């Protein structure tokens, strides 16, 4: 059964995510007016306002359809009627109106952040024309005792198969973010956990966009391309060429040709992975999930430096940004004990009144929410 906690939150659901999105939207409009740059749809092929709701609706279908057919049993006499009855039961128990509001509220706030973030990122070179790659490269060499971090990784891992492997890591990361948002808004029955994660990602984007404007960079793959000349052609190398063409066209046409997406400090690849790792740790997901998250975090750090997307100092800043986002989002969503970010579970419907506060005397509530009810084993 699904219950949504509406009391003891201290603020409306996704309040900080909305604040981050509105702040980014205001910055987008201000930069557009000051620099005379058009505001663009960040997804030209399939608009994001279609793509992201489609991802959420698809996730809902994956959540509902298997449960419906499992509850209906094998096809036999009266099977269509059983399917309809099971569907109504699943929708009533998995998707009451409160959860529809929760999911739609989250995905709209998230998309506002995403669309505005993409525009602010694209406008950063117009707002602040200086490039800070050289100072960051010097900091990297200081941290690595005079060596270039990417060159060190190339020597350790080689420049053949490793390039294709780290390219694959990068591709997986691209798909991970929208999938993780869908999981947080659709499959979780812990609305506090889902709201915490979505809000933290919104904060990642807001802080990342601010740093892109304050410290514009293009990354080692562009500012020191000779270091990466020995790498074989991969999906990432083709993507890098395409992104540079987009940047050149955007700057040449003053934004009329579309958005550019090059900015390195801080690394949001690392920042969002840090956010994912800390949230799955805080909500105590299965051990294999936590181990997988931290392993992929390590691979993401290696991939971004190895492939030249980021300086090592970008990685450090990204990790700090992601950790701060988790903390401030925890405070904002009521997931805290004092000033420490801690998951405050939604109430167990069999322990508390619906909508009431979670009981500290029933720590098993989080686990029990995923267990089937005795009278509806197939549906739940």
């Amino acid at each position: 059964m699904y219950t949504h906690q509406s009391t003891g939150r201290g603020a409306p659901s996704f309040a900080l995510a909305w604040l981050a999105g509105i702040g980014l939207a205001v910055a987008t409009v201000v930069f557009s007016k000051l620099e005379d740059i058009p505001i663009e749809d960040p997804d030209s092929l399939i608009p994001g306002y279609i793509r992201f709701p489609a991802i959420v609706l698809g996730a809902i279908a994956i959540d509902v359809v298997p449960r419906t057919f499992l509850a209906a049993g094998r096809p036999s006499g009266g099977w269509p009627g059983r399917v309809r009855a099971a569907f109504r039961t699943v929708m009533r128990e998995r998707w009451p109106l409160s959860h529809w509001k929760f999911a739609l509220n989250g995905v709209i706030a998230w998309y506002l952040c995403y669309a505005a973030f993409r525009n602010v990122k694209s406008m950063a070179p117009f707002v602040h024309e200086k490039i800070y790659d050289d100072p960051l490269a010097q900091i990297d060499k200081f941290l690595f005792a005079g060596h270039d971090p990417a060159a060190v990784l190339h020597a350790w891992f080689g420049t053949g198969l490793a390039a294709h492997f780290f390219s694959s890591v990068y591709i997986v990361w691209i798909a991970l973010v929208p999938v993780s948002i869908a999981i947080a808004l659709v499959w979780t029955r812990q609305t506090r956990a889902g709201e915490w994660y979505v809000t933290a990602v919104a904060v990642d984007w807001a802080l990342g966009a601010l740093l892109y404007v304050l410290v514009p960079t293009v990354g080692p793959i562009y500012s020191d391309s000779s270091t990466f000349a020995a790498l074989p052609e991969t999906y990432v190398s083709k993507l890098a060429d395409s992104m540079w063409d987009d940047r050149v066209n955007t700057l040449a046409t003053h934004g009329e040709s579309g958005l550019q997406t090059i900015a390195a400090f801080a690394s949001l690849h690392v920042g969002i992975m840090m956010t994912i790792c800390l949230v799955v740790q805080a909500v105590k997901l299965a051990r294999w999930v936590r181990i997988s998250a931290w392993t992929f975090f390590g691979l993401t750090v290696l991939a971004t430096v190895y492939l030249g997307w980021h300086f090592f100092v970008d990685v450090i800043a990204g990790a700090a940004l992601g950790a701060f986002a988790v903390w401030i989002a925890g405070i904002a969503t009521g997931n805290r004990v004092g000033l420490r970010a801690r998951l405050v579970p939604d109430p167990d419907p069999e322990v508390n009144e619906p909508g009431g506060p979670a009981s500290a005397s029933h720590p098993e509530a989080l686990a029990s929410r995923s267990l089937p009810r005795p009278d509806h084993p197939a549906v739940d």
Side-chain angles (χ1 to χ4, degrees):
M1 284 287 287
Y2 166 82
T3 60
H4 178 76
Q5 182 165 348
S6 58
T7 61
R9 307 177 68 83
S13 296
F14 299 102
L16 184 57
W18 277 104
L19 182 62
I22 292 171
L24 286 171
V26 170
T28 299
V29 173
V30 170
F31 293 159
S32 175
K33 296 297 182 182
L34 289 177
E35 301 295 334
D36 192 26
I37 307 170
I39 298 174
E40 300 282 350
D41 184 337
D43 299 287
S44 56
L45 182 60
I46 302 177
Y49 57 82
I50 294 176
R51 182 158 55 94
F52 290 120
I55 291 174
V56 173
L57 290 175
I60 292 172
I62 294 174
D63 180 58
V64 170
V65 173
R67 298 174 189 275
T68 297
F69 285 107
L70 183 62
R74 295 180 179 179
S76 60
W79 187 70
R82 295 203 307 273
V83 170
R84 288 192 296 270
F87 177 77
R88 288 193 295 268
T89 301
V90 170
M91 290 300 296
R92 183 173 60 252
E93 296 189 352
R94 299 287 296 179
W95 284 93
L97 180 60
S98 57
H99 199 59
W100 279 105
K101 291 179 179 178
F102 169 80
L104 291 175
N105 187 8
V107 77
I108 294 171
W110 185 78
Y111 180 72
L112 174 63
C113 287
Y114 167 77
F117 164 79
R118 287 287 306 277
N119 275 275
V120 171
K121 184 178 184 180
S122 182
M123 295 173 181
F126 298 100
V127 178
H128 192 172
E129 296 181 358
K130 187 174 180 180
I131 299 295
Y132 290 89
D133 284 69
D134 288 343
L136 296 187
Q138 292 172 9
I139 295 174
D140 265 14
K141 289 186 178 180
F142 171 78
L143 294 175
F144 278 73
H147 300 284
D148 184 294
V152 171
L153 294 183
H154 295 168
W156 284 358
F157 296 107
T159 55
L161 185 61
H164 294 280
F165 173 74
F166 287 127
S167 176
S168 300
V169 171
Y170 191 88
I171 295 171
V172 172
W173 187 95
I174 293 174
L176 178 62
V177 176
V179 170
S180 66
I181 292 295
I183 291 172
L185 295 176
V186 173
W187 284 313
T188 181
R189 301 296 95 184
Q190 275 286 343
T191 59
R192 282 288 185 106
E195 182 186 356
W196 187 1
Y197 173 67
V198 173
T199 300
V201 173
V203 174
D204 283 331
W205 275 334
L207 295 179
L210 176 64
L211 290 175
Y212 291 159
V213 173
L214 294 178
V215 190
T217 55
V218 294
I221 196 171
Y222 302 116
S223 61
D224 185 24
S225 58
S226 61
T227 300
F228 307 91
L231 297 182
E233 185 178 84
T234 62
Y235 168 83
V236 165
S237 62
K238 295 177 181 178
L239 179 62
D241 292 340
S242 174
M243 289 172 59
W244 186 255
D245 290 341
D246 290 341
R247 181 182 176 90
V248 170
N249 291 333
T250 298
L251 295 180
T253 62
H254 207 71
E256 295 290 343
S257 65
L259 301 177
Q260 70 88 29
T261 57
I262 294 176
F265 184 87
S267 170
L268 287 192
H269 278 73
V270 173
I272 291 178
M273 272 312 305
M274 175 62 79
T275 292
I276 291 173
C277 289
L278 292 179
V279 169
V280 301
Q281 199 75 35
V283 303
K284 295 180 174 58
L285 293 188
R287 188 168 181 266
W288 71 267
V289 176
R290 286 176 279 161
I291 292 175
S292 297
W294 284 110
T295 300
F296 195 76
F297 171 82
L299 292 175
T300 300
V301 169
L302 293 174
T304 56
V305 176
Y306 179 97
L307 296 170
W309 290 116
H310 294 287
F311 297 100
F312 186 72
V313 70
D314 298 342
V315 169
I316 297 174
L321 184 153
F324 175 78
V326 171
W327 176 76
I328 195 67
I331 300 297
T333 57
N335 287 295
R336 66 189 183 93
V337 177
L339 291 179
R340 293 182 300 167
R342 295 289 187 274
L343 178 66
V344 177
D346 293 334
D348 187 335
E350 296 184 5
V351 174
N352 301 291
E353 290 298 321
S359 171
S361 63
H362 292 82
E364 73 279 4
L366 176 60
S368 68
R369 294 179 60 77
S370 298
L371 297 176
R373 292 164 57 204
D375 55 332
H376 291 80
V379 174
D380 286 334

